[in-house]
mmCIF file of all heavy atoms in Angstrom:
data_model
loop_
_atom_site.group_PDB
_atom_site.id
_atom_site.type_symbol
_atom_site.label_atom_id
_atom_site.label_comp_id
_atom_site.label_asym_id
_atom_site.label_seq_id
_atom_site.Cartn_x
_atom_site.Cartn_y
_atom_site.Cartn_z
ATOM 1 N N VAL F 21 0.838 -1.191 0.009
ATOM 2 C CA VAL F 21 -0.002 -0.005 -0.001
ATOM 3 C C VAL F 21 0.879 1.251 0.007
ATOM 4 O O VAL F 21 0.656 2.169 -0.772
ATOM 5 C CB VAL F 21 -0.954 0.009 1.226
ATOM 6 C CG1 VAL F 21 -1.719 1.326 1.304
ATOM 7 C CG2 VAL F 21 -1.896 -1.158 1.171
ATOM 8 N N TYR F 22 1.890 1.268 0.865
ATOM 9 C CA TYR F 22 2.709 2.468 1.001
ATOM 10 C C TYR F 22 3.859 2.537 0.010
ATOM 11 O O TYR F 22 4.404 3.624 -0.194
ATOM 12 C CB TYR F 22 3.245 2.581 2.440
ATOM 13 C CG TYR F 22 2.149 2.966 3.388
ATOM 14 C CD1 TYR F 22 1.637 2.075 4.307
ATOM 15 C CD2 TYR F 22 1.589 4.239 3.331
ATOM 16 C CE1 TYR F 22 0.627 2.433 5.171
ATOM 17 C CE2 TYR F 22 0.565 4.595 4.180
ATOM 18 C CZ TYR F 22 0.077 3.691 5.086
ATOM 19 O OH TYR F 22 -0.920 4.053 5.930
ATOM 20 N N GLY F 23 4.207 1.458 -0.637
ATOM 21 C CA GLY F 23 5.261 1.483 -1.654
ATOM 22 C C GLY F 23 4.871 2.321 -2.856
ATOM 23 O O GLY F 23 5.589 3.268 -3.220
ATOM 24 N N PRO F 24 3.727 2.032 -3.504
ATOM 25 C CA PRO F 24 3.315 2.876 -4.642
ATOM 26 C C PRO F 24 3.049 4.315 -4.244
ATOM 27 O O PRO F 24 3.339 5.236 -4.994
ATOM 28 C CB PRO F 24 2.026 2.213 -5.117
ATOM 29 C CG PRO F 24 2.116 0.804 -4.659
ATOM 30 C CD PRO F 24 2.876 0.853 -3.362
ATOM 31 N N TRP F 25 2.564 4.525 -3.025
ATOM 32 C CA TRP F 25 2.357 5.876 -2.535
ATOM 33 C C TRP F 25 3.659 6.624 -2.486
ATOM 34 O O TRP F 25 3.763 7.785 -2.913
ATOM 35 C CB TRP F 25 1.716 5.805 -1.133
ATOM 36 C CG TRP F 25 1.222 7.119 -0.592
ATOM 37 C CD1 TRP F 25 -0.044 7.608 -0.735
ATOM 38 C CD2 TRP F 25 1.967 8.096 0.125
ATOM 39 N NE1 TRP F 25 -0.124 8.829 -0.107
ATOM 40 C CE2 TRP F 25 1.095 9.144 0.409
ATOM 41 C CE3 TRP F 25 3.262 8.196 0.551
ATOM 42 C CZ2 TRP F 25 1.488 10.288 1.119
ATOM 43 C CZ3 TRP F 25 3.671 9.311 1.247
ATOM 44 C CH2 TRP F 25 2.791 10.345 1.532
ATOM 45 N N MET F 26 4.725 5.982 -1.971
ATOM 46 C CA MET F 26 6.020 6.631 -1.835
ATOM 47 C C MET F 26 6.640 6.888 -3.215
ATOM 48 O O MET F 26 7.182 7.974 -3.454
ATOM 49 C CB MET F 26 6.976 5.764 -1.001
ATOM 50 C CG MET F 26 8.326 6.378 -0.796
ATOM 51 S SD MET F 26 8.281 7.988 0.038
ATOM 52 C CE MET F 26 7.850 7.485 1.678
ATOM 53 N N VAL F 27 6.544 5.936 -4.127
ATOM 54 C CA VAL F 27 7.102 6.116 -5.467
ATOM 55 C C VAL F 27 6.391 7.266 -6.186
ATOM 56 O O VAL F 27 7.033 8.119 -6.803
ATOM 57 C CB VAL F 27 7.020 4.799 -6.268
ATOM 58 C CG1 VAL F 27 7.388 5.022 -7.722
ATOM 59 C CG2 VAL F 27 7.928 3.754 -5.647
ATOM 60 N N ALA F 28 5.076 7.295 -6.106
ATOM 61 C CA ALA F 28 4.341 8.381 -6.752
ATOM 62 C C ALA F 28 4.644 9.719 -6.091
ATOM 63 O O ALA F 28 4.725 10.749 -6.761
ATOM 64 C CB ALA F 28 2.838 8.101 -6.697
ATOM 65 N N SER F 29 4.839 9.738 -4.781
ATOM 66 C CA SER F 29 5.198 10.969 -4.090
ATOM 67 C C SER F 29 6.546 11.500 -4.556
ATOM 68 O O SER F 29 6.689 12.710 -4.790
ATOM 69 C CB SER F 29 5.237 10.731 -2.577
ATOM 70 O OG SER F 29 3.983 10.350 -2.095
ATOM 71 N N LEU F 30 7.508 10.619 -4.720
ATOM 72 C CA LEU F 30 8.818 11.041 -5.192
ATOM 73 C C LEU F 30 8.708 11.557 -6.638
ATOM 74 O O LEU F 30 9.398 12.502 -7.009
ATOM 75 C CB LEU F 30 9.821 9.894 -5.073
ATOM 76 C CG LEU F 30 10.212 9.506 -3.665
ATOM 77 C CD1 LEU F 30 11.069 8.247 -3.675
ATOM 78 C CD2 LEU F 30 10.901 10.657 -2.948
ATOM 79 N N SER F 31 7.867 10.933 -7.412
ATOM 80 C CA SER F 31 7.662 11.384 -8.792
ATOM 81 C C SER F 31 7.032 12.768 -8.804
ATOM 82 O O SER F 31 7.422 13.620 -9.615
ATOM 83 C CB SER F 31 6.768 10.405 -9.523
ATOM 84 O OG SER F 31 6.481 10.859 -10.823
ATOM 85 N N ILE F 32 6.115 13.046 -7.914
ATOM 86 C CA ILE F 32 5.489 14.353 -7.812
ATOM 87 C C ILE F 32 6.517 15.397 -7.394
ATOM 88 O O ILE F 32 6.568 16.506 -7.948
ATOM 89 C CB ILE F 32 4.301 14.338 -6.835
ATOM 90 C CG1 ILE F 32 3.160 13.518 -7.439
ATOM 91 C CG2 ILE F 32 3.838 15.742 -6.508
ATOM 92 C CD1 ILE F 32 2.059 13.192 -6.453
ATOM 93 N N LEU F 33 7.374 15.058 -6.431
ATOM 94 C CA LEU F 33 8.399 16.000 -6.012
ATOM 95 C C LEU F 33 9.362 16.309 -7.154
ATOM 96 O O LEU F 33 9.759 17.462 -7.335
ATOM 97 C CB LEU F 33 9.169 15.425 -4.814
ATOM 98 C CG LEU F 33 8.435 15.388 -3.489
ATOM 99 C CD1 LEU F 33 9.280 14.722 -2.434
ATOM 100 C CD2 LEU F 33 8.043 16.789 -3.056
ATOM 101 N N ARG F 34 9.715 15.300 -7.904
ATOM 102 C CA ARG F 34 10.600 15.497 -9.053
ATOM 103 C C ARG F 34 9.968 16.412 -10.096
ATOM 104 O O ARG F 34 10.597 17.329 -10.606
ATOM 105 C CB ARG F 34 10.981 14.148 -9.678
ATOM 106 C CG ARG F 34 11.944 14.283 -10.811
ATOM 107 C CD ARG F 34 12.436 12.889 -11.244
ATOM 108 N NE ARG F 34 13.289 13.022 -12.396
ATOM 109 C CZ ARG F 34 12.905 12.869 -13.649
ATOM 110 N NH1 ARG F 34 11.651 12.529 -13.924
ATOM 111 N NH2 ARG F 34 13.740 13.012 -14.650
ATOM 112 N N THR F 35 8.697 16.163 -10.406
ATOM 113 C CA THR F 35 8.039 16.987 -11.395
ATOM 114 C C THR F 35 7.835 18.410 -10.876
ATOM 115 O O THR F 35 7.858 19.374 -11.666
ATOM 116 C CB THR F 35 6.705 16.387 -11.838
ATOM 117 O OG1 THR F 35 5.863 16.196 -10.711
ATOM 118 C CG2 THR F 35 6.901 15.101 -12.565
ATOM 119 N N ALA F 36 7.625 18.563 -9.578
ATOM 120 C CA ALA F 36 7.497 19.907 -9.000
ATOM 121 C C ALA F 36 8.810 20.677 -9.137
ATOM 122 O O ALA F 36 8.796 21.873 -9.395
ATOM 123 C CB ALA F 36 7.076 19.812 -7.530
ATOM 124 N N LEU F 37 9.903 19.995 -8.942
ATOM 125 C CA LEU F 37 11.212 20.638 -9.107
ATOM 126 C C LEU F 37 11.438 21.085 -10.545
ATOM 127 O O LEU F 37 12.102 22.091 -10.810
ATOM 128 C CB LEU F 37 12.350 19.727 -8.633
ATOM 129 C CG LEU F 37 12.414 19.521 -7.126
ATOM 130 C CD1 LEU F 37 13.449 18.460 -6.796
ATOM 131 C CD2 LEU F 37 12.758 20.815 -6.429
ATOM 132 N N HIS F 38 10.907 20.324 -11.484
ATOM 133 C CA HIS F 38 11.054 20.655 -12.889
ATOM 134 C C HIS F 38 9.885 21.509 -13.415
ATOM 135 O O HIS F 38 9.795 21.762 -14.615
ATOM 136 C CB HIS F 38 11.173 19.382 -13.741
ATOM 137 C CG HIS F 38 12.451 18.681 -13.552
ATOM 138 N ND1 HIS F 38 13.637 19.105 -14.125
ATOM 139 C CD2 HIS F 38 12.772 17.585 -12.802
ATOM 140 C CE1 HIS F 38 14.617 18.285 -13.759
ATOM 141 N NE2 HIS F 38 14.122 17.370 -12.966
ATOM 142 N N GLN F 39 9.002 21.879 -12.510
ATOM 143 C CA GLN F 39 7.822 22.690 -12.800
ATOM 144 C C GLN F 39 6.984 22.079 -13.913
ATOM 145 O O GLN F 39 6.604 22.738 -14.890
ATOM 146 C CB GLN F 39 8.249 24.112 -13.135
ATOM 147 C CG GLN F 39 8.887 24.791 -11.995
ATOM 148 C CD GLN F 39 9.307 26.219 -12.295
ATOM 149 O OE1 GLN F 39 9.319 26.633 -13.449
ATOM 150 N NE2 GLN F 39 9.634 26.946 -11.270
ATOM 151 N N ARG F 40 6.667 20.824 -13.721
ATOM 152 C CA ARG F 40 5.810 20.097 -14.669
ATOM 153 C C ARG F 40 4.588 19.606 -13.872
ATOM 154 O O ARG F 40 4.579 19.598 -12.643
ATOM 155 C CB ARG F 40 6.542 18.903 -15.264
ATOM 156 C CG ARG F 40 7.824 19.252 -15.946
ATOM 157 C CD ARG F 40 7.630 19.230 -17.442
ATOM 158 N NE ARG F 40 8.882 19.279 -18.145
ATOM 159 C CZ ARG F 40 9.282 20.338 -18.817
ATOM 160 N NH1 ARG F 40 8.573 21.426 -18.811
ATOM 161 N NH2 ARG F 40 10.427 20.316 -19.459
ATOM 162 N N ARG F 41 3.590 19.124 -14.599
ATOM 163 C CA ARG F 41 2.391 18.578 -13.965
ATOM 164 C C ARG F 41 2.576 17.082 -13.771
ATOM 165 O O ARG F 41 3.236 16.409 -14.568
ATOM 166 C CB ARG F 41 1.185 18.839 -14.832
ATOM 167 C CG ARG F 41 0.858 20.323 -14.900
ATOM 168 C CD ARG F 41 -0.303 20.622 -15.754
ATOM 169 N NE ARG F 41 -1.443 19.844 -15.288
ATOM 170 C CZ ARG F 41 -2.487 19.566 -16.038
ATOM 171 N NH1 ARG F 41 -2.540 19.986 -17.265
ATOM 172 N NH2 ARG F 41 -3.485 18.863 -15.558
ATOM 173 N N ALA F 42 1.958 16.530 -12.734
ATOM 174 C CA ALA F 42 2.078 15.103 -12.412
ATOM 175 C C ALA F 42 0.698 14.524 -12.126
ATOM 176 O O ALA F 42 0.447 14.000 -11.063
ATOM 177 C CB ALA F 42 3.000 14.915 -11.226
ATOM 178 N N VAL F 43 -0.174 14.585 -13.089
ATOM 179 C CA VAL F 43 -1.558 14.139 -12.906
ATOM 180 C C VAL F 43 -1.617 12.654 -12.566
ATOM 181 O O VAL F 43 -2.322 12.249 -11.613
ATOM 182 C CB VAL F 43 -2.415 14.456 -14.152
ATOM 183 C CG1 VAL F 43 -3.823 13.931 -14.001
ATOM 184 C CG2 VAL F 43 -2.409 15.938 -14.418
ATOM 185 N N HIS F 44 -0.898 11.835 -13.295
ATOM 186 C CA HIS F 44 -0.935 10.380 -13.061
ATOM 187 C C HIS F 44 -0.379 10.040 -11.667
ATOM 188 O O HIS F 44 -0.939 9.210 -10.974
ATOM 189 C CB HIS F 44 -0.149 9.651 -14.141
ATOM 190 C CG HIS F 44 -0.768 9.780 -15.499
ATOM 191 N ND1 HIS F 44 -0.397 10.755 -16.399
ATOM 192 C CD2 HIS F 44 -1.780 9.083 -16.088
ATOM 193 C CE1 HIS F 44 -1.114 10.631 -17.487
ATOM 194 N NE2 HIS F 44 -1.978 9.631 -17.330
ATOM 195 N N SER F 45 0.689 10.690 -11.273
ATOM 196 C CA SER F 45 1.268 10.419 -9.963
ATOM 197 C C SER F 45 0.332 10.860 -8.842
ATOM 198 O O SER F 45 0.196 10.174 -7.812
ATOM 199 C CB SER F 45 2.613 11.116 -9.820
ATOM 200 O OG SER F 45 3.510 10.599 -10.771
ATOM 201 N N TRP F 46 -0.348 11.992 -9.023
ATOM 202 C CA TRP F 46 -1.326 12.423 -8.030
ATOM 203 C C TRP F 46 -2.488 11.410 -7.938
ATOM 204 O O TRP F 46 -3.014 11.149 -6.853
ATOM 205 C CB TRP F 46 -1.880 13.816 -8.331
ATOM 206 C CG TRP F 46 -1.004 14.890 -7.774
ATOM 207 C CD1 TRP F 46 -0.239 15.785 -8.476
ATOM 208 C CD2 TRP F 46 -0.810 15.213 -6.384
ATOM 209 N NE1 TRP F 46 0.409 16.611 -7.622
ATOM 210 C CE2 TRP F 46 0.077 16.296 -6.337
ATOM 211 C CE3 TRP F 46 -1.299 14.683 -5.192
ATOM 212 C CZ2 TRP F 46 0.508 16.847 -5.120
ATOM 213 C CZ3 TRP F 46 -0.869 15.235 -3.994
ATOM 214 C CH2 TRP F 46 -0.004 16.296 -3.973
ATOM 215 N N PHE F 47 -2.881 10.849 -9.051
ATOM 216 C CA PHE F 47 -3.912 9.826 -9.065
ATOM 217 C C PHE F 47 -3.473 8.617 -8.223
ATOM 218 O O PHE F 47 -4.261 8.103 -7.427
ATOM 219 C CB PHE F 47 -4.257 9.408 -10.495
ATOM 220 C CG PHE F 47 -5.251 8.287 -10.564
ATOM 221 C CD1 PHE F 47 -6.585 8.516 -10.283
ATOM 222 C CD2 PHE F 47 -4.840 6.999 -10.851
ATOM 223 C CE1 PHE F 47 -7.503 7.481 -10.321
ATOM 224 C CE2 PHE F 47 -5.741 5.960 -10.891
ATOM 225 C CZ PHE F 47 -7.081 6.182 -10.624
ATOM 226 N N ILE F 48 -2.241 8.178 -8.411
ATOM 227 C CA ILE F 48 -1.719 7.046 -7.644
ATOM 228 C C ILE F 48 -1.665 7.377 -6.148
ATOM 229 O O ILE F 48 -2.059 6.558 -5.312
ATOM 230 C CB ILE F 48 -0.307 6.650 -8.151
ATOM 231 C CG1 ILE F 48 -0.373 6.184 -9.608
ATOM 232 C CG2 ILE F 48 0.335 5.584 -7.260
ATOM 233 C CD1 ILE F 48 -1.213 4.953 -9.842
ATOM 234 N N VAL F 49 -1.210 8.561 -5.802
ATOM 235 C CA VAL F 49 -1.169 8.967 -4.389
ATOM 236 C C VAL F 49 -2.573 8.961 -3.784
ATOM 237 O O VAL F 49 -2.785 8.442 -2.681
ATOM 238 C CB VAL F 49 -0.453 10.330 -4.229
ATOM 239 C CG1 VAL F 49 -0.695 10.906 -2.829
ATOM 240 C CG2 VAL F 49 1.015 10.207 -4.508
ATOM 241 N N LEU F 50 -3.518 9.547 -4.494
ATOM 242 C CA LEU F 50 -4.891 9.567 -3.976
ATOM 243 C C LEU F 50 -5.498 8.182 -3.900
ATOM 244 O O LEU F 50 -6.187 7.855 -2.917
ATOM 245 C CB LEU F 50 -5.756 10.488 -4.855
ATOM 246 C CG LEU F 50 -5.438 11.967 -4.786
ATOM 247 C CD1 LEU F 50 -6.256 12.742 -5.823
ATOM 248 C CD2 LEU F 50 -5.719 12.486 -3.385
ATOM 249 N N LEU F 51 -5.227 7.342 -4.899
ATOM 250 C CA LEU F 51 -5.751 5.977 -4.887
ATOM 251 C C LEU F 51 -5.241 5.185 -3.688
ATOM 252 O O LEU F 51 -6.014 4.579 -2.938
ATOM 253 C CB LEU F 51 -5.413 5.264 -6.186
ATOM 254 C CG LEU F 51 -5.797 3.779 -6.262
ATOM 255 C CD1 LEU F 51 -7.317 3.664 -6.353
ATOM 256 C CD2 LEU F 51 -5.121 3.122 -7.445
ATOM 257 N N PHE F 52 -3.930 5.197 -3.483
ATOM 258 C CA PHE F 52 -3.375 4.416 -2.396
ATOM 259 C C PHE F 52 -3.613 5.032 -1.036
ATOM 260 O O PHE F 52 -3.665 4.313 -0.032
ATOM 261 C CB PHE F 52 -1.891 4.095 -2.642
ATOM 262 C CG PHE F 52 -1.727 2.958 -3.628
ATOM 263 C CD1 PHE F 52 -1.612 3.220 -4.991
ATOM 264 C CD2 PHE F 52 -1.746 1.655 -3.201
ATOM 265 C CE1 PHE F 52 -1.480 2.187 -5.893
ATOM 266 C CE2 PHE F 52 -1.644 0.603 -4.085
ATOM 267 C CZ PHE F 52 -1.501 0.860 -5.451
ATOM 268 N N SER F 53 -3.796 6.338 -0.966
ATOM 269 C CA SER F 53 -4.231 6.934 0.293
ATOM 270 C C SER F 53 -5.652 6.485 0.626
ATOM 271 O O SER F 53 -5.955 6.183 1.786
ATOM 272 C CB SER F 53 -4.185 8.475 0.197
ATOM 273 O OG SER F 53 -2.874 8.933 0.109
#
């Protein structure tokens, strides 16, 4: 449960640093939350 949440969270942080959108990663975070 928390593995995909963590991977998607790191993906969101990476895209935030590059100022990109991370719709799919936010979906994974919300789903596993």
Side-chain angles (χ1 to χ4, degrees):
V21 174
Y22 287 109
W25 190 93
M26 182 60 71
V27 171
S29 298
L30 291 173
S31 177
I32 291 168
L33 288 176
R34 183 172 176 262
T35 57
L37 289 173
H38 290 282
Q39 296 181 347
R40 304 257 192 251
R41 293 180 55 201
V43 176
H44 295 94
S45 297
W46 274 111
F47 175 74
I48 298 297
V49 167
L50 291 173
L51 175 71
F52 281 92
S53 293

